[in-house]
Amino acid sequence: MNRKKKINQILKSKLKKQNSKLHKSNKPRYISKAERAKMEAEEQNQTVEQGADNAVESEVGEQS
């Protein structure tokens, strides 16, 4: 009986592992603190560049 139980237990565990690989997790990917800081810095640079672009466009419009 113990041998059968052990074999069944091993087979069930293999099935569980295969099924778990098929299903994706709903959890969002972990982003480290350093990566978050880098992304925030890039966003700030983009907003600064957009603000500078808007200022240049307004100056060109005033000169016309």
Side-chain angles (χ1 to χ4, degrees):
M1 185 69 176
N2 283 340
R3 189 176 347 151
K4 286 183 184 180
K5 184 178 179 184
K6 188 68 172 176
I7 292 170
N8 283 334
Q9 185 180 7
I10 291 170
L11 292 175
K12 282 182 185 179
S13 68
K14 284 185 181 181
L15 278 175
K16 281 186 177 183
K17 288 178 185 176
Q18 289 174 351
N19 285 335
S20 68
K21 289 182 182 178
L22 292 175
H23 299 292
K24 299 282 181 174
S25 176
N26 291 334
K27 243 170 65 169
R29 187 180 73 87
Y30 176 74
I31 301 173
S32 69
K33 191 173 184 179
E35 287 180 26
R36 279 183 268 148
K38 184 193 293 185
M39 288 170 44
E40 186 176 323
E42 288 175 0
E43 286 178 8
Q44 287 178 351
N45 287 340
Q46 287 178 354
T47 55
V48 168
E49 289 174 2
Q50 287 176 354
D53 290 344
N54 290 339
V56 170
E57 289 175 1
S58 64
E59 289 177 9
V60 171
E62 291 174 3
Q63 291 176 359
S64 305

